[in-house]
Amino acid sequence: MHFALTDDQRAIQESVRSFLAKTAGLERLRAAIASPEGWDADLWTSLAVEMGYAGLMVPEAYGGSGVGAVAMALVLEETGGRLTVAPFFETAVLAVQTILNAGTPRQKEALLPAIADGTTKATMAITGLEGRPSPDGITALLTRDGNGWLLNGEAGFVPFAHVADLLLVVARAPETANGAGISLLALPAESAGVVIERQPPLDLTRPFCRVRFQNVTVSDDLVLGEAGKAGPSLERALTIGAGLLAAEQTGGAAFCLATTVEYAQQRVQFGRKIGSFQAVKHTLADMMVAVEAARSAALYAAAAIDQGTPELIEACSVAKSWCSDAYRLCAGEAIQLHGGIGFTWEHHAHLYFKRAWSSSTWLGDPAHHRERVARLIGLTGASEGSTP
C-alpha cells in the first residue's frame, strides 16, 4: 500500500494541533476531571460544533465532511495527546461507524446529521459488567413484546454515558450465543427504564458508567437494520473502532515521550542533566522507537479502513495490540524518568499512565488482538475466540 498524507490531511492535523495547544492544557484537563460531571463541555462544543471534527467520517450525504479515517486518525492522535475529556471518540468514531454499518438509509438520515454537527453526543454500550470482548460479553437481552421489543439487563464500562444523548446498545436474543441473535439499538439516553450510574474510575479522563435496562420499550424504528442480524455490522464497527483507538493511543504515547525528553534536558543530577546519562538515553530511544512504530501501525490501519482493503481486520488488530503496548511502555517510563515528582498526584504522568492501561483493555486487549491476527494468518494453536 502506498501511503502519504495529502495537503488537506496535513491541514486538518495542523489545525487541530494548533487549536488544542491553545485550548486544552493540563490546567483545563485538571479542572474538567474535578468538575461534578467530570468532562469538558466547552471543549466538546469547540471540537464538534465549531471545528466540525465530529463529522469527519460522516458522508456528505448525511451532513458530514466525509474525509475519512486517516484524517480522523490525525485528529485522534492530537486529542489523545491532550487527554481530551469529552465523548469525541465515542461519538465521532464508534457511534458513526455503528450507524453506518448497521442502519437503514432512513435511520442514517435521521441520526447522522445531528452527530455530524455536534448536536448529539453518543456512546456505545457493548459489554456486560465483566467487560469481556464482544460478542461473548454481551449480556443485555432483547425480547419481542407485541409490536415492539423489551430490553433488559446491564452494560458495564460505557464511556461518558452520563452525558450522552444517544446510547448505541448491543443486545442479544435469549438463548443465543457467539455472533447469533445480536441486535443494535439506537436508544435515547432519557428513555424510560434506562438507569445510568457512574462507576468508580481508574481513568479519570474517560469516565465509565454502568447502565441498567429495566423493561425498556424499544420500537422497531430504534433497532438498527434487522433485529438479530447485526453481528457482522457490529464486528466491522468495532474493528474500525479498535484501529482508530490506536491513533488516540499513539498520541498519548507521543506526549509522554515529548514531555519526558523535555524534562531530561532540564533536570540536573550529580552536576549533569539526566538526559546525558546513557541509561536515560537508551530508555528514551526505546520510547521513540515504540512511538514511531505505533504511528506507522495506526496510520496503516486508518488507510486500510479508507481503502477497504482485505487486510483491514489484520491491520486494525495489529495497530490496537502494538499501540496499547507502546502507550503502556511510554507512560510507565515517563513516571520512572521523572523520578519522585512523577509519582505525585499533582503531576500529569499518572493521568497518562491510567489512560494507557484503560485504553489497552477497551475494545479488546493486546492478547485478544494478537490471537485474532494469529487466526487470520493461519497459525495453528491460536485459541478460538471472538472479535472485539
Side-chain angles (χ1 to χ4, degrees), residues 181-193:
I182 294 176
S183 299
L184 285 164
L185 317 175
L187 195 66
E190 296 183 353
S191 298

Side-chain angles (χ1 to χ4, degrees), residues 142 144 149 181-185 220 223-230:
L142 186 69
R144 198 64 165 158
W149 304 86
I182 294 176
S183 299
L184 285 164
L185 317 175
D220 283 329
V223 180
L224 295 178
E226 185 178 354
K229 305 293 185 181

Side-chain angles (χ1 to χ4, degrees), residues 154-171:
E154 295 178 314
F157 309 99
V158 185
F160 291 103
H162 64 300
V163 298
D165 306 300
L166 181 69
L167 301 177
L168 281 300
V169 181
V170 184

Side-chain angles (χ1 to χ4, degrees), residues 132-222:
R132 290 182 297 162
S134 170
D136 297 333
I138 300 171
T139 59
L141 296 179
L142 186 69
T143 56
R144 198 64 165 158
D145 181 56
N147 294 325
W149 304 86
L150 279 181
L151 175 66
N152 284 282
E154 295 178 314
F157 309 99
V158 185
F160 291 103
H162 64 300
V163 298
D165 306 300
L166 181 69
L167 301 177
L168 281 300
V169 181
V170 184
R172 66 164 64 253
E175 300 182 1
T176 60
N178 300 320
I182 294 176
S183 299
L184 285 164
L185 317 175
L187 195 66
E190 296 183 353
S191 298
V194 175
V195 179
I196 299 173
E197 302 170 349
R198 291 182 62 179
Q199 292 179 297
L202 165 67
D203 177 9
L204 296 172
T205 66
R206 177 168 270 144
F208 284 100
C209 300
R210 173 181 179 178
V211 183
R212 288 183 285 144
F213 308 105
Q214 303 172 337
N215 289 323
V216 179
T217 301
V218 180
S219 58
D220 283 329
D221 62 318
L222 298 181

